[in-house]
Amino acid sequence: MKHIITEQILDAYKNYLIKEEKSDATISKYIRDIKKLMDYARGKEITKEITKEIMAMYKKDLYINQKYELSSINSFITAVNGLFVYLEWYGLRIKTYHIQKEVFLPENRNLSKKEYKKLVNSALHNGKKRLAMIIRTICATGIRISELSYITLESVKKGIADIYCKGKQRKVLIPGKLQKLLLRYASENGIEKGILFCTSRGNAVDRSNIWKEMKNLAEKSGVAKEKIFPHNLRHLFAKTFYKIDKDIMMLAGLLGHSSVETTRIYTMTTHGEYMKQLDQMELV
């Protein structure tokens, strides 16, 4: 039996992922990652057959020639291994790289509160009121960008939003100051019900467009481009909350995490901050 991934197989697997209630973003990524393997196999074998040897070569090529980070390679492998399990091609599965957990948050990815405010002010200054409100909403509530559709006029009026994501439901509080800003935004834009941040057709705004709009603020705001991405706002929320409360269980609940280990990633400090703490101990 030859192991060849066809478009029909991809369509069937996509439908399977939908039934498994995977998010649209997750499904898109899995299919994109599998197609990456298909392109690689096409260049190695005329038949496009996937073999264990091809998988080993692919894993090595991603690291040595394509220069991907190990974490990215692991995500590619996870995606194709999932397909192999679905197809019962168990013999094709390969191991992911073991990566020691990072202790420090990279300085060049650490978004400060001051930089966050620069992004908001830059968006407002350049007539991007909706973008400014999206940035504020994500950072002040800690929601994912994919959860923006749950921020409705009705939820804002109540001051609490019911979020359903990844098979779990949680309640997210909307701070009073943000509540007032969002109600004013709705009034100014003639929004009488439903999703606050939507397209002209009433659909939730596209995450890729928000990403691009945020990246365009880099030069105008003076904030490094590598720090500007929606999920970093969620990280800033987590770090700020944890510094005040130090309750990681409560933070995990607010972020919608099933595992506290996932939440710990959000509370990491930078190398510089950690050094300050060590100096304050005065043990030398």
Side-chain angles (χ1 to χ4, degrees), residues 53-247:
E53 181 184 14
I54 290 259
M55 288 304 302
M57 291 168 59
Y58 177 59
K59 179 179 177 180
K60 188 175 181 181
D61 185 73
L62 287 170
Y63 181 64
I64 295 177
N65 297 323
Q66 299 191 48
K67 309 294 184 185
Y68 278 104
E69 296 287 337
L70 294 185
S71 57
S72 296
I73 296 172
N74 282 350
S75 71
F76 296 149
I77 293 173
T78 299
V80 297
N81 278 350
L83 175 67
F84 295 157
V85 170
Y86 167 74
L87 295 171
E88 298 183 358
W89 295 353
Y90 301 112
L92 295 185
R93 291 178 298 172
I94 57 174
K95 295 179 180 179
T96 56
Y97 286 104
H98 176 72
I99 304 174
Q100 185 172 340
K101 290 183 179 179
E102 298 248 356
V103 179
F104 308 116
L105 178 70
E107 294 282 357
N108 66 343
R109 304 276 281 184
N110 182 45
L111 182 71
S112 68
K113 191 182 293 186
K114 183 178 180 180
E115 289 170 326
Y116 151 68
K117 290 182 177 178
K118 279 185 177 180
L119 290 178
V120 173
N121 291 333
S122 179
L124 290 172
H125 182 72
N126 288 278
K128 299 285 186 179
K129 182 68 178 288
R130 185 180 72 176
L131 180 60
M133 291 309 304
I134 287 174
I135 292 173
R136 278 173 164 162
T137 301
I138 294 175
C139 201
T141 61
I143 63 172
R144 302 175 178 88
I145 189 172
S146 59
E147 296 171 340
L148 275 174
S149 59
Y150 294 98
I151 304 299
T152 62
L153 183 57
E154 292 77 14
S155 66
V156 172
K157 286 179 178 178
K158 290 190 298 182
I160 188 168
D162 290 311
I163 305 287
Y164 184 81
C165 184
K166 298 185 177 183
K168 301 187 293 290
Q169 186 175 26
R170 72 185 194 282
K171 293 186 181 297
V172 170
L173 297 176
I174 300 172
K177 288 184 179 179
L178 177 64
Q179 191 179 16
K180 290 178 182 178
L181 288 171
L182 289 175
L183 288 174
R184 187 190 306 164
Y185 172 82
S187 176
E188 291 173 351
N189 289 274
I191 301 171
E192 298 179 352
K193 63 178 180 178
I195 302 171
L196 285 194
F197 307 116
C198 57
T199 64
S200 56
R201 294 184 178 182
N203 299 318
V205 289
D206 185 78
R207 59 190 297 154
S208 61
N209 288 337
I210 297 173
W211 183 289
K212 289 175 184 175
E213 282 191 74
M214 283 186 65
K215 287 293 183 184
N216 289 336
L217 292 177
E219 188 174 340
K220 298 169 184 175
S221 65
V223 179
K225 199 168 186 177
E226 58 267 25
K227 294 184 179 184
I228 306 176
F229 53 97
H231 210 68
N232 222 8
L233 299 171
R234 187 164 145 88
H235 275 267
L236 179 56
F237 167 86
K239 287 184 295 180
T240 306
F241 180 89
Y242 187 71
K243 281 182 180 179
I244 297 171
D245 193 76
K246 297 294 183 182
D247 188 337

Side-chain angles (χ1 to χ4, degrees), residues 266-277:
Y266 286 70
T267 62
M268 287 193 302
T269 59
T270 63
H271 178 272
E273 291 171 330
Y274 187 65
M275 285 298 292
K276 287 180 183 178
Q277 292 176 18

